[in-house]
Amino acid sequence: MHLKIITHERVVFDEDIDELYTKTIDGEIGILKNHVPLMTALDIGITKTVKNGEVKFFTTMGGVLQFKDDEALILTTTAERGDEIDVTRAKDALKRAQARLAEVQAETDAKRAEAAIARAMARLKATLNN
């Protein structure tokens, strides 16, 4: 099957794969060749691909996954290959977001801090697996 991961700025990934795993708003999902067609909203998390036993990880920061006729398409605002992520920067972002969350007063600020934590954690998880 074929997977294409696209952001507003670039095509992050465009290759044939054997397996696809990602995080939807309803939970984790795995897709193999000949999967039934589907369209689902993605959550902030990790997308994992497997091809000939080789595993690659990507962050996907929300978006949409469409699968039909062995073609998977992920449209997302931000996606990064695990080997492209600056670990130090991700750790710093996590610390800042955790500090913001500890001192927030308004509910909207708390939601923004929680989203920032989720993005930073996804980035760190993607780098640990590469």
Side-chain angles (χ1 to χ4, degrees):
M1 68 182 162
H2 193 81
L3 170 64
K4 190 180 271 192
I5 301 175
I6 302 173
T7 69
H8 300 294
E9 299 166 350
R10 66 185 178 125
V11 175
V12 177
F13 186 79
D14 187 4
E15 293 181 24
D16 288 336
I17 60 170
D18 300 323
E19 304 170 36
L20 170 64
Y21 303 92
T22 194
K23 185 176 180 185
T24 73
I25 60 171
D26 295 319
E28 301 284 332
I29 188 171
I31 297 175
L32 301 174
K33 188 174 180 173
N34 298 319
H35 194 284
V36 297
L38 71 89
M39 181 176 277
T40 187
L42 296 177
D43 201 350
I44 296 170
I46 300 296
T47 295
K48 173 183 167 182
T49 65
V50 181
K51 179 179 180 181
N52 299 324
E54 181 185 346
V55 178
K56 293 182 182 177
F57 292 91
F58 304 85
T59 60
T60 43
M61 306 300 180
V64 177
L65 164 66
Q66 177 182 342
F67 185 83
K68 183 179 176 186
D69 299 327
D70 285 334
E71 296 282 332
L73 175 63
I74 293 177
L75 301 173
T76 182
T77 54
T78 305
E80 300 162 295
R81 293 175 56 106
D83 58 3
E84 295 175 340
I85 295 170
D86 181 336
V87 176
T88 303
R89 186 172 170 226
K91 286 180 180 178
D92 290 345
L94 177 60
K95 288 178 189 173
R96 285 192 309 274
Q98 289 171 329
R100 269 198 321 261
L101 185 58
E103 62 188 40
V104 295
Q105 302 298 322
E107 186 176 323
T108 54
D109 288 340
K111 290 189 185 305
R112 288 179 54 207
E114 288 168 354
I117 289 171
R119 287 190 300 271
M121 292 296 293
R123 285 185 175 106
L124 291 172
K125 286 179 187 175
T127 63
L128 293 175
N129 295 305
N130 280 310

